[in-house]
Amino acid sequence: MSDSDVTLLDRPIWSALTTSQKYLAEGGPQALRYPVDMTPFADMVDMSAASFAALGDLMSSSQVAALFTPEPVDVPAGFKVVLADTGEQMIGSPADSPLRDAEIVPLGAADVPAMMALTALTKPGPFALRTHELGTFLGIRAGGELVAMTGERMKPGNFTEMTAVCVHPDHRGRGYAQALLAAVARQIEARGEIPFLHVFSHNASAIALYQRQGMRVRRRLHVTALMKQE
């Protein structure tokens, strides 16, 4: 892994949409986004007025564009900020965490309603009707109900982001998140790729969990969600 490879993670959305996931990219040379029914993530080649105009052209008045950037975003007239926060970008190989009383299973299109319900309850970040198409998702069921899941999302270059790490409140404390994170990481590594993830800076318990599993904070990114000003 060279230094030049790692710099793809400084702007992970732009990097993903111009490398491994360029087939999903909507837009042009100045602004790109994922299909809105997959994720609201978007980015621009730079922060110029022309690039913001190009981003605006990709959005309807009701849509949100979420950016992950190394520096705070200076939002021009014509946009309003609906979220401005920071997140820690963590990288590394989470340690294996075997389960004794539960089975990890792959999730697919038939599981989307259950996946939507779980993410609506636990709020791990944006999850839409086609998010599961971005990569493999794994889950744990109890009593026929989906109670935990994790999957893959952005793929900048040779890196794959782990996402939607969530456990139903009634089933926490059983090691489900750790086991799923490790299982997703193993499938990423089996393809010769490097796992990473993002977590809001204020989520100290999740950061501590990931660190205990052997991941490290690589850098802090700014998370900015925008809508067009009506």
Side-chain angles (χ1 to χ4, degrees), residues 6 94 187:
V6 176
Q187 68 182 16

Side-chain angles (χ1 to χ4, degrees), residues 7-213:
T7 60
L8 289 173
L9 297 180
D10 291 343
R11 298 193 76 106
I13 299 170
W14 184 264
S15 296
L17 291 174
T18 54
T19 60
S20 300
Q21 292 176 320
K22 65 191 305 182
Y23 67 97
L24 294 172
E26 299 179 349
Q30 289 185 289
L32 295 171
R33 72 173 305 161
Y34 284 90
V36 295
D37 55 358
M38 285 186 166
T39 182
F41 291 165
D43 200 2
M44 298 167 288
V45 70
D46 56 30
M47 294 291 152
S48 67
S51 292
F52 271 103
L55 177 63
D57 289 343
L58 296 175
M59 302 168 62
S60 73
S61 60
S62 63
Q63 290 173 350
V64 172
L67 285 64
F68 287 17
T69 56
E71 305 296 335
V73 178
D74 186 11
V75 180
F79 292 88
K80 61 181 178 181
V81 176
V82 295
L83 173 72
D85 211 329
T86 63
E88 306 305 313
Q89 184 181 82
M90 302 186 69
I91 191 169
S93 181
D96 285 328
S97 182
L99 290 173
R100 295 179 181 176
D101 62 347
E103 180 186 3
I104 294 175
V105 296
L107 302 174
D111 302 296
V112 168
M115 298 165 84
M116 297 285 287
L118 182 59
T119 53
L121 176 67
T122 58
K123 303 189 186 315
F127 194 90
L129 288 171
R130 294 179 60 208
T131 302
H132 70 285
E133 296 178 24
L134 292 170
T136 302
F137 278 78
L138 303 177
I140 294 171
R141 295 190 181 95
E145 179 186 11
L146 183 66
V147 298
M149 75 174 197
T150 303
E152 302 172 356
R153 187 169 57 184
M154 287 188 275
K155 297 178 183 285
N158 202 39
F159 300 87
T160 295
E161 181 199 28
M162 300 183 291
T163 187
V165 183
C166 52
V167 180
H168 190 289
D170 295 342
H171 295 266
R172 290 176 181 162
R174 305 180 189 187
Y176 289 173
Q178 296 97 311
L180 284 166
L181 202 67
V184 171
R186 294 297 85 77
Q187 68 182 16
I188 292 169
E189 292 168 335
R191 299 193 301 262
E193 299 163 7
I194 300 163
F196 74 107
L197 56 77
H198 295 104
V199 56
F200 279 116
S201 302
H202 55 73
N203 195 346
S205 60
I207 293 169
L209 167 66
Y210 302 146
Q211 288 175 324
R212 286 196 301 273
Q213 279 195 272

